[in-house]
Amino acid sequence: MKSRVVRYALFSVLAAVSAVTGQAQAQSWPEKPITFIVPFAAGGGTDAFARPLAAQLDSQLGKRVLIENRAGAGGTVGASLASKAAPDGYTFFMGAAHHAIAPSLYPNLDYNFEKDFIAVALVARPPQVVVVNPDKVAAKTLAEFIAYAKANPGKLNYGSAGAGTTHHLAGELFKILTKTNLQHVPYRGAGPAMQDLIAGHVPVVFDGLGSSAAPIRAGQLRALAVAAPKRVPAFPDLPTAAEAGLPGYEVSTWYGLFAPKNTPPAIVEQMAKELQKAMQTSAIKEAWERNGSDVPDVAGPAFAKMVSSEVERWRKVATEANVKLD
């Protein structure tokens, strides 16, 4: 009985010391530059939100927030790297909806998205958009494009940010709903996919507005529909998929910040507060509006719950589409 009391007292002391240490770390944090691991090539949708956010946090924290692009395997290479980073509050991971899809498609992942990361906060959630190269696709409406795809089964390629990304599954969902046959061409991120779409090497991409907004405005791409329940304020003339004749086609590419597991809770909480502060600045609000996203207010356990629901949602889509990756 005595030894049990001693063990309990020792545990209480250690817990108290750990709490005090965590608070002290948070008070002095950050003492050096912070790295955001972005698991796609530069110029994609993740970059479109990660870089303005890093710049804003630079000024708030008084320390550099660096972007490290680590592309490959639909974002899983960067996720694997981030999951093994030191949990000291100086490495964070800019994850996305792609990573909620990956567990259903990649049987040999060396990390667990829900267990090896701490969900800090949802950063952005721009909807997907169907975009085509106007020189390669004559269709000016979604209905015309669907008719064209049906008349040319197997002859149209669609690009994506990589196998297993929302771009990929959005394309597969499109095929299921329209009963069309398009061929998938994966890239190492939305940036390279956009470059090839603009160059005419692929005719269509089911992209997130974060990376396609600028070329749409520049007239380099033609947007046919947004995969959202309502129109996007930044593109008021762009119809929803339902309005364009394809009800049920709703996909968004959300982005969120994660910390490696065992990162001190006090530092995670402090980062969440800094994110909340950053998201309320005019610079971030204006950038998000340009990229077709709202400014979400979802953090901590609520964000973790959303991630789990997304993992389950995309598991069902992957099963129906019969998509498997090595």
Side-chain angles (χ1 to χ4, degrees):
M1 178 69 178
K2 183 177 180 181
S3 62
R4 185 181 302 172
V5 172
V6 170
R7 284 199 303 271
Y8 178 78
L10 180 60
F11 175 79
S12 298
V13 170
L14 291 174
V17 169
S18 177
V20 171
T21 301
Q23 291 172 356
Q25 287 176 317
Q27 289 174 354
S28 61
W29 176 88
E31 297 179 307
K32 60 181 182 180
I34 296 168
T35 297
F36 281 5
I37 293 179
V38 171
F40 294 100
T46 318
D47 254 23
F49 295 101
R51 290 185 183 277
L53 189 60
Q56 179 59 39
L57 290 172
D58 267 358
S59 61
Q60 287 180 200
L61 296 171
K63 297 291 182 182
R64 292 297 312 278
V65 179
L66 308 172
I67 299 294
E68 183 177 338
N69 294 95
R70 299 300 291 264
T76 61
V77 170
S80 175
L81 178 70
S83 72
K84 298 169 182 59
D88 56 6
Y90 291 97
T91 301
F92 290 85
F93 175 58
M94 187 63 78
H98 317 297
H99 300 96
I101 295 172
S104 300
L105 305 183
Y106 292 92
N108 299 313
L109 291 178
D110 64 351
Y111 67 91
N112 185 302
F113 188 45
E114 296 178 82
K115 295 180 179 180
D116 291 339
F117 291 100
I118 300 170
V120 181
L122 180 65
V123 169
R125 47 188 170 196
Q128 299 284 113
V129 61
V130 183
V131 282
V132 299
N133 181 300
D135 295 326
K136 298 296 181 179
V137 177
K140 291 183 169 55
T141 67
L142 187 63
E144 290 177 357
F145 177 73
I146 293 172
Y148 177 66
K150 286 183 175 180
N152 295 274
K155 296 181 180 179
L156 278 175
N157 296 330
Y158 76 92
S160 82
T165 61
T166 50
H167 305 72
H168 178 194
L169 270 290
E172 295 304 309
L173 180 60
F174 180 86
K175 288 164 59 177
I176 290 170
L177 294 176
T178 60
K179 295 180 173 58
T180 53
N181 181 12
L182 284 71
Q183 302 301 310
H184 177 223
V185 180
Y187 288 84
R188 292 174 63 85
M194 283 292 98
Q195 291 172 7
D196 262 19
L197 178 62
I198 292 170
H201 299 310
V202 287
V204 59
V205 172
F206 302 91
D207 191 37
L209 266 175
S211 50
S212 58
I216 290 171
R217 289 194 181 94
Q220 296 172 301
L221 301 177
R222 178 185 298 131
L224 301 181
V226 63
K230 59 182 180 181
R231 296 194 181 200
V232 177
F235 296 91
D237 296 328
L238 181 62
T240 66
E243 290 173 331
L246 189 59
Y249 188 65
E250 295 182 10
V251 186
S252 65
T253 301
W254 54 262
Y255 303 97
L257 196 68
F258 297 81
K261 70 177 181 181
N262 298 325
T263 299
I267 290 179
V268 172
E269 183 179 352
Q270 184 61 31
M271 175 57 88
K273 289 179 180 178
E274 293 294 339
L275 286 173
Q276 184 180 42
K277 179 181 176 182
M279 302 287 278
Q280 295 308 310
T281 63
S282 58
I284 294 298
K285 286 183 176 180
E286 290 169 5
W288 269 222
E289 183 177 358
R290 286 194 305 271
N291 291 329
S293 175
D294 64 343
V295 178
D297 184 16
V298 183
F303 181 37
K305 184 177 179 180
M306 189 203 96
V307 169
S308 294
S309 67
E310 282 285 279
V311 170
E312 181 58 28
R313 176 199 180 199
W314 287 110
R315 180 177 289 115
K316 293 177 180 178
V317 174
T319 299
E320 185 174 356
N322 194 31
V323 178
K324 294 291 182 182
L325 303 172
D326 296 326

